[in-house]
Amino acid sequence: MPIAAVNDFVIRFANVNGSGSASANLLFARSVLRMGVPIGPRNIFPSNIQGLPTWYEVRVSEAGFLGARGGADILVAMNPQTFVQDLAALEPGGYLFYDSTRPIAHLLTRDDIVVLGMPLTEICTKEYSDPKQRQLYKNIVYVGALAALLNIELSVIETLLRERFKGKDKLITANLHALKIGYDDAQSRFQCPLSVRVRRSDATGDRILVEGNFAAGLGAVYGGATVCAWYPITPSTSLAESFEGNCARYRVDPATGKKNYAIVQAEDEIAAIGVAIGAGWNGARAFTATSGPGISLMQEFFGLAYFAEIPVVLFDVQRGGPSTGMPTRTQQSDLLAAAFASHGDTKHVLLIPDGPGEAFEFGASAFDFAERLQTLVFVMLDLDIGMNAHLTAPFEWDDARAYDRGKVLSGEELETAREFGRYNDVDGDGIPYRTLPGTHPTRGAYFTRGTSRDRFARYTEESGPYVDNMERLLRKLETARNLLPRPVLKPAAKPARVGVIHYGSTAAAMDEAQALLARDGLHVDTLRIRAFPLALEITEFVREHEQVFVVEQNRDAQMRTLMTTDLELAPAQLTSILHFGGMPITARFIVGEIAGRLRRRASAQTLERVS
């Protein structure tokens, strides 16, 4: 039986990188969104420039479950090289749409799917004489065919094309023509619409579709950052580009044209973090953006920022590792590397957003935390958040909000102060007072270094001052524990003995998994971690549940490790659910792992009682 679903399906496009399909697939996704139906698009692409397989998946869910689901209900198979593996991912009863110009009957090994063959290449060969046009417009032809098959209003796609090519009438006419060719051919060739279809809705509300990297870059602008030093690396490059683009809009003096920001594309990652730290020491709000390999290279500078207590922000858009790893796949595998970056006893502040909304929020507040705590702050994104578009509420900002510069002494305060010790803990919270260069003509200047010193920044290698300094740095981290964003608790509809802890981009899949488990009678409370050092509420959550799962996208259970070290929780209290193949974690995976383990545990307890 064919799948029957309205506004609830997954469609996957299998293409070749460099074929021009990306814009056509995005056109399809935006057309569904314009019909008022929530979508969760994901671009799965290779790390080379051209020629390898690429996939684009769109989760359509009026209910709002927009995390990766797993499987596909509709497959648009445009790459013969991956046809067999793409076909295997199609759900029973699903629809295969493919270019039937060349016979591929020997590859159609499944009899539990509906096959929709359309001779796209043949159609475009007849219509266009230029080979490049044949390829490019073939993508628009299949979008037109999908509009007919899935009941997408053609006028919606036509409007999108007019918006995209505004002022380029010839391109508008040509694209509308290709769209109509596909639509009319599908109408004459197939029974339209299919049992899987789109129906106009108003379920999107006022939400916007935005990438996490764009949101974080915009957040840095609103957070008062004026210096960005970076080196290009997948998948963080678009974050720095977002900052630059938004600075060009909001940070240019309209009267003089002067740019009130500085962006430095450094010669490498080491230089980039060095520039950011130098700017932070000088009083600017500064940051860099990188990924795992950059984190590896910057280690010594991280130690300097921590030990000299210089505010700076680093956006880490995590990808598959180690080494070069999988540059265009997602993971949460930099957690330990960031939390304890550099040699010696170091510990850093981490902010862990769940999507573009928090990427914007934390992208701004990271600079407040960095200056309040006088330290390096990591914002831990990942490729799934950073480079994929997500449906999110419009960003909010209070124009009356003042930046938290922390304990900065003014010239007047220095004038009346009896003494100034740069590393002196006056208030007992581990955070000393600092000055900015030029604040006072004769007082407040200090020399800082990466070697041991006393409370007045005087060089010493004596044990007492060193121990005093290192213990103070720990007190600062305890202060941070109470300042940082609190975990988000999502209780089950009924009392639950099982809890699930998760963080970052697992949120969408976990929310859906919680609903699916409840539907099967397995009720779980969830707690989403948003910062490190870890909040004490996590300890309470663990104590209140008989079994606690920790869901992560890495091999080595890095958050579980942090929980056992930072909160001194017993490892036996925490059961890891690990997903690290590079693709976004799915609700199906989480449900399968949790339900399977709970049922095995229940079965074992029954046997024990019988014996």
Side-chain angles (χ1 to χ4, degrees), residues 546-565:
E546 292 181 9
Q547 185 168 9
V548 176
F549 294 97
V550 183
V551 178
E552 309 191 50
Q553 295 184 85
N554 58 67
R555 185 196 69 179
D556 293 340
Q558 295 187 25
M559 180 59 80
R560 180 175 178 267
T561 299
L562 287 180
M563 292 168 65
T564 60
T565 57

Side-chain angles (χ1 to χ4, degrees), residues 362-477:
F362 294 176
S365 61
F367 296 93
D368 282 347
F369 291 126
E371 292 205 298
R372 175 78 177 271
L373 297 164
Q374 297 177 34
T375 196
L376 169 64
V377 173
F378 287 85
V379 182
M380 305 298 291
L381 300 160
D382 61 34
L383 185 144
D384 186 30
I385 293 175
M387 294 195 70
N388 284 320
H390 302 262
L391 205 59
T392 189
F395 305 142
E396 295 183 356
W397 186 260
D398 181 1
D399 287 334
R401 173 174 169 177
Y403 297 142
D404 186 349
R405 302 305 304 265
K407 298 180 179 181
V408 180
L409 293 175
S410 67
E412 292 77 11
E413 289 170 321
L414 285 169
E415 192 70 43
T416 59
R418 291 175 54 190
E419 63 177 3
F420 167 56
R422 172 63 182 95
Y423 298 108
N424 194 21
D425 186 6
V426 176
D427 303 316
D429 58 2
I431 306 171
Y433 286 81
R434 68 183 176 122
T435 61
L436 301 180
T439 299
H440 191 280
T442 60
R443 308 187 68 179
Y446 69 94
F447 185 82
T448 191
R449 66 182 92 206
T451 50
S452 182
R453 72 279 154 141
D454 67 10
R455 294 184 178 190
F456 293 87
R458 294 177 300 218
Y459 172 75
T460 179
E461 293 187 17
E462 293 181 8
S463 297
Y466 173 79
V467 171
D468 175 68
N469 186 64
M470 294 298 288
E471 289 179 342
R472 179 183 57 77
L473 289 171
L474 277 183
R475 289 198 300 275
K476 180 198 292 190
L477 269 293

Side-chain angles (χ1 to χ4, degrees), residues 66-115:
L66 300 176
R69 189 200 69 183
D73 303 306
I74 304 168
L75 172 65
V76 180
M78 295 292 122
N79 185 2
Q81 302 301 318
T82 62
F83 188 89
V84 174
Q85 70 182 80
D86 294 334
L87 192 62
L90 192 58
E91 297 285 297
Y95 290 90
L96 166 68
F97 179 87
Y98 78 105
D99 184 354
S100 61
T101 300
R102 295 182 179 178
I104 56 169
H106 63 291
L107 297 176
L108 297 174
T109 56
R110 294 181 57 175
D111 57 7
D112 62 342
I113 60 173
V114 179
V115 179

Side-chain angles (χ1 to χ4, degrees), residues 280-363:
W281 174 82
N282 206 44
R285 289 194 157 191
F287 75 93
T288 189
T290 191
S291 190
I295 297 294
S296 297
L297 288 168
M298 297 177 185
Q299 294 289 311
E300 187 171 3
F301 263 129
F302 294 157
L304 175 63
Y306 174 77
F307 202 59
E309 296 178 74
I310 299 170
V312 66
V313 171
L314 185 143
F315 292 92
D316 178 12
V317 190
Q318 300 167 88
R319 70 189 208 186
S323 187
T324 305
M326 297 188 292
T328 58
R329 298 291 183 264
T330 194
Q331 278 187 0
Q332 296 173 315
S333 54
D334 293 349
L335 212 61
L336 290 175
F340 304 110
S342 196
H343 53 278
D345 292 321
T346 54
K347 188 182 289 187
H348 303 290
V349 171
L350 312 183
L351 300 177
I352 312 173
D354 68 337
E358 287 189 347
F360 172 78
E361 178 188 343
F362 294 176

Side-chain angles (χ1 to χ4, degrees), residues 498-502 510 517 524-528 541 545 547-551 590 594:
V498 176
V500 183
I501 292 174
H502 64 107
M510 188 64 245
L517 287 165
V524 300
D525 298 326
T526 69
L527 188 73
R528 179 167 62 84
F541 183 85
H545 294 86
Q547 185 168 9
V548 176
F549 294 97
V550 183
V551 178
I590 296 173
I594 292 177

